[in-house]
């Protein structure tokens, strides 16, 4: 028997994940079913290639565990909770009733909790923000990932701005600083390899010998949280050896004499001691950096998850101004380019709906404290979670879990799957995936805008976040016309500028799927830093006015893992290559690659504890216990253990993950978490 041939269609989309690469996707649809997701060969930054994770997007979208209808919890909260299906009508009516009741006495008792499950302008903070603004709910300080580094950049360069990624391919020296690029920034790694083929030297600065470090010319395995000491010592060497661009310093920087005095306190001997690396390694790195043109730094978020993370980013971001590296398009530093994106947040989020109200701001990174009955503020009585899995990803899980388990807390979770967080929900609402809705994406890696078209109809009864908040708004009686804007209108509002123009032309996005933002090839070649002084601010008056040190400095970790202390090992918990934070952990083919939750431990540290490869160990500190398998490995430096993240708690041998051990202490700048500033001990279980 022959079947009539149905033509495949190809739909252009955008990768929604919190990854600097923001790939342009091509989804092949056959008979209404997405059969393949591939990288768009016409998009230069994607270059036709996706990471393994997103190549498996159809497996995630059609996963048998996808939530396809609204669910209501019956019985107690937690991993053993049971849920029963309810209609959308009943779920939304009940949720609106509960939220209205709470809002009638104190709208600030309601807290949204969201992050970057999707980075979309539309399915992120658009209709959701309008809803919470109208309600007068508490506002969420979204600090869990990047805010320490972001503030550092703003106070140094004037914005989240840096080199254009494509020019890394022309650099002759690349410092890959606090980044496992092969795992988490694949398309940058391709450019770095191109540079290497053209003779560039690659240096990786990371306490772990990552797969990226394996492939670099040199690996500097410093102690976690000591990057500022290294950067100041590099400055010391640039000064004493005269590897400075005096003209650039005079024309385009502020506070040089002060920074110079600070840096001269950091001879390599001192930094070597703090960083736990050889004096010669620092001297060699300084010589390379001081004498190679063009020299580029790919800085990433690994350096800013410790107490002094903001200062570390400030110190590193100063380096290219000392040598004038910015003069060349392949010189400078890149942490984030999100400052180039000029989406209209006011139009999307409508803060005017607050009127004169100024609700309190609660920090997502200390959600455990905010949910505690002992919180030093009026209680949070309802949580609405979307685009995030806080029970797995927020620090100090036992505190987070205790909060989510409160019987008097009303919790709604919008999700694709029954995550660790959904275990604590009163209602779980099924959300669409990227293949099922419209969205518009900026990026923090390259400098394009990428449009996402829906490729398939929503699965089951799933709805886009926007539609869920639209319907809730209607149930709550919010009759402002903005609550009826559809998703295409929201896309256009995101692009609209105050002067009536468009940030980038929507019609081009519809036609090509992506548009590049115009901008200079070398942003700071002639200075023009968007700081108050117009210069690269080594000394920041704004920070000094806040009572902070105006200059970057080295701040030791809160939890310095000293050999003689109760918790002598420093634990870092960076991303696993085949997961995206806690997303994809339930995608079988990807979980099979990662295997199981592991703790990497150096042979020396394993030996002194009688631990052998493959044995079950307990990792512990005063906050909790995490039981997993030991992987005895040369990857971590001695004294450092690595728990690649972020597994779901239910996969942990004792129902926990690495965040059972991390703390709610915050960084020096940006009120951000200190995931990699965490002292632990390890023993055989
Ligand atoms: N595959 C994959 N890709 C991802 C993610 C993911 O979960 N999986 N997550 C995405 C997200 S949300 C983000 S924010 C980015 C994160 O992007 P990055 O921060 O670039 O993350 P990693 O590539 O793991 O790099 C962090 C590296 O920093 C090292 N490190 C830890 N502490 C220190 C330190 O004190 N100093 C220095 N120099 N290095 C240190 C770790 O060992 C690790 O190798 O990646 C994004 N991309
Ligand atoms: N120990 C440790 N902890 C960490 C980190 C670390 O390095 N170490 N990294 C931190 C960092 S950098 C980050 S960014 C955070 C990330 O934390 P999160 O932003 O919470 O990221 P994910 O874990 O990926 O969870 C996102 C959730 O959103 C859901 N989702 C995706 N798209 C949609 C949608 O369209 N609608 C709805 N309703 N839901 C959707 C996904 O199914 C997923 O469960 O974790 C932090 N936690
Ligand atoms: S996660 Fe990153 S590398 Fe993978 S498809 Fe998305 S944007 Fe591209
Ligand atoms: Mo992140």
């Amino acid at each position: 028997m022959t079947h009539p041939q149905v033509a495949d269609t190809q739909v252009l989309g955008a990768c929604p994940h919190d990854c600097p690469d923001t790939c342009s996707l091509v989804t092949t649809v056959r008979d209404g079913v997405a059969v393949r997701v591939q990288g768009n060969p016409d998009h230069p930054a994607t270059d036709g290639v996706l990471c393994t994770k997103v190549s498996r997007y159809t497996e995630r979208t059609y996963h048998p565990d996808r939530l396809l209808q609204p669910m209501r919890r019956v019985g107690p909260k937690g991993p053993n909770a049971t849920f029963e299906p309810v209609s959308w009508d009943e779920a939304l009516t009940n949720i609106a009733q509960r939220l209205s009741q709470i809002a009638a006495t104190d709208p600030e008792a309601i807290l949204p909790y969201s992050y970057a499950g999707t980075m979309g302008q539309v399915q992120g903070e658009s209709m959701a923000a309008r809803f919470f603004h109208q309600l007068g709910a508490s506002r969420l300080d979204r600090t869990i990932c990047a805010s320490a580094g972001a503030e550092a950049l703003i106070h140094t360069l004037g914005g989240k701005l840096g080199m254009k990624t494509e020019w890394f391919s022309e650099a002759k020296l690349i410092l890959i600083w606090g980044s496992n690029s092969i795992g988490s920034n694949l398309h940058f790694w391709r450019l770095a390899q191109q540079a290497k083929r053209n003779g560039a030297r690659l240096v990786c600065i990371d306490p772990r010998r990552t797969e990226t470090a394996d492939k670099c010319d040199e690996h500097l395995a410093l102690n976690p949280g000591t990057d500022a000491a290294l950067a100041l010592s590099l400055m010391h060497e640039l000064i004493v050896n005269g590897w400075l661009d005096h003209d650039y310093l005079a024309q385009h920087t502020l506070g040089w004499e002060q920074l110079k005095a600070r840096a001269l306190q950091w001879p390599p001997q001192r930094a070597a001691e703090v960083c736990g690396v050889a004096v010669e390694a620092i001297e060699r790195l300084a010589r390379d950096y001081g004498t190679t043109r063009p020299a580029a730094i790919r800085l990433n978020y690994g350096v800013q998850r410790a107490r002094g993370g903001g200062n570390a980013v400030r110190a590193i971001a100063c380096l290219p101004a000392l040598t004038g590296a910015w003069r060349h398009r392949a010189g400078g530093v890149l942490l984030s380019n999100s400052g180039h994106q000029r989406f209209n947040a006011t139009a999307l989020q409508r803060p005017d709906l607050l009127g004169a109200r100024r609700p309190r701001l609660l920090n997502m990174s200390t959600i455990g404290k905010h949910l505690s009955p002992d919180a030093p503020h009026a209680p949070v009585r309802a949580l609405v979670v979307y685009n995030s899995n806080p029970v797995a990803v927020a620090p100090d899980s036992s505190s987070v879990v205790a909060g989510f388990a409160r019987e008097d807390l009303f919790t709604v979770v919008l999700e694709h799957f029954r995550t660790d967080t959904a275990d604590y929900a009163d209602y779980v609402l099924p959300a669409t995936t990227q293949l099922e809705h419209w969205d518009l994406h900026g990026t923090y890696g390259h400098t394009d805008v990428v449009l996402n078209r829906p490729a398939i109809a929503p699965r089951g009864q799933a709805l886009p976040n926007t539609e869920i908040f639209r319907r809730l708004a209607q149930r709550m009686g919010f009759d402002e016309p903005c609550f009826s804007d559809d998703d295409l209108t929201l896309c256009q509002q995101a692009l609209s500028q105050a002067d009536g123009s468009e940030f980038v032309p929507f019609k081009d996005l519809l036609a090509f799927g992506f548009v590049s933002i115009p901008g200079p090839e070398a942003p700071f070649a002639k200075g023009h830093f968007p700081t108050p002084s117009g210069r690269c601010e080594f000394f920041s008056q704004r920070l000094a006015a806040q009572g902070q040190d105006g200059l970057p400095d080295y701040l030791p970790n809160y939890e310095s893992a000293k050999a003689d202390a109760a918790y002598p090992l420093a634990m870092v918990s960076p991303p696993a290559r085949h997961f995206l934070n806690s997303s994809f952990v339930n995608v079988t083919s990807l979980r099979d690659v990662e295997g199981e939750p592991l703790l990497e431990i150096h042979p020396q540290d394993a030996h002194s504890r009688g631990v052998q490869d493959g044995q079950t160990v307990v990792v512990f500190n005063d906050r909790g216990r995490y039981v997993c398998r030991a992987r005895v490995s040369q990857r971590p430096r001695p004294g450092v253990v690595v728990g690649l993240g972020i597994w779901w708690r239910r996969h942990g041998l004792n129902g926990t993950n690495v965040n059972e051990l991390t703390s709610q202490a915050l960084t020096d700048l940006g009120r951000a978490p200190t995931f990699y500033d965490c002292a632990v001990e390890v023993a055989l279980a």
Side-chain angles (χ1 to χ4, degrees), residues 16-18 57 60 113-118 123 144-146 301 305 364 385-390 392-395 413-417 419 429 431-434 437 465 468 571 573-575 580-583 643 645-646 648 658-659 662 673 675-676:
H17 290 293
D18 190 348
Y57 225 74
R60 187 175 188 275
Y113 196 100
S114 68
Y115 201 64
T118 167
Q123 304 306 335
I144 204 158
C145 171
Y301 290 104
R305 306 203 195 287
M364 69 188 304
V385 182
Y386 53 102
N387 304 340
S388 186
N389 183 10
V393 306
V413 175
L414 284 59
E415 252 301 347
H416 299 150
F417 294 104
T419 57
L429 304 179
T432 45
T433 69
Q434 191 75 346
H437 55 227
N465 291 342
I468 298 174
M571 185 186 80
S573 47
L580 202 300
N581 300 318
S582 77
S583 298
I646 304 174
W648 292 13
V658 281
N659 280 322
T662 55
F675 290 114
Y676 305 168

Side-chain angles (χ1 to χ4, degrees), residues 75-92:
K77 298 185 180 191
N80 300 319
T82 45
F83 289 85
E84 63 181 16
V86 283
S87 68
W88 269 114
D89 190 51
E90 196 181 342
L92 293 173

Side-chain angles (χ1 to χ4, degrees), residues 18-20 51 53 115-116 145-146 177-185 205-208 210 222-227 299-306 444 557 572-582 642 645-646 676:
D18 190 348
C19 168
C51 62
K53 309 177 284 293
Y115 201 64
C145 171
W177 202 325
S179 172
N180 180 10
S181 317
I182 295 179
S184 62
N185 191 186
I205 304 172
D206 194 312
R208 176 173 186 255
T210 59
L222 78 186
N223 282 319
T226 62
D227 302 271
L299 176 58
N300 228 320
Y301 290 104
V303 303
Q304 48 107 70
R305 306 203 195 287
Y444 55 102
N557 277 3
V572 298
S573 47
R577 181 170 175 184
H578 296 92
F579 300 151
L580 202 300
N581 300 318
S582 77
V642 181
I646 304 174
Y676 305 168

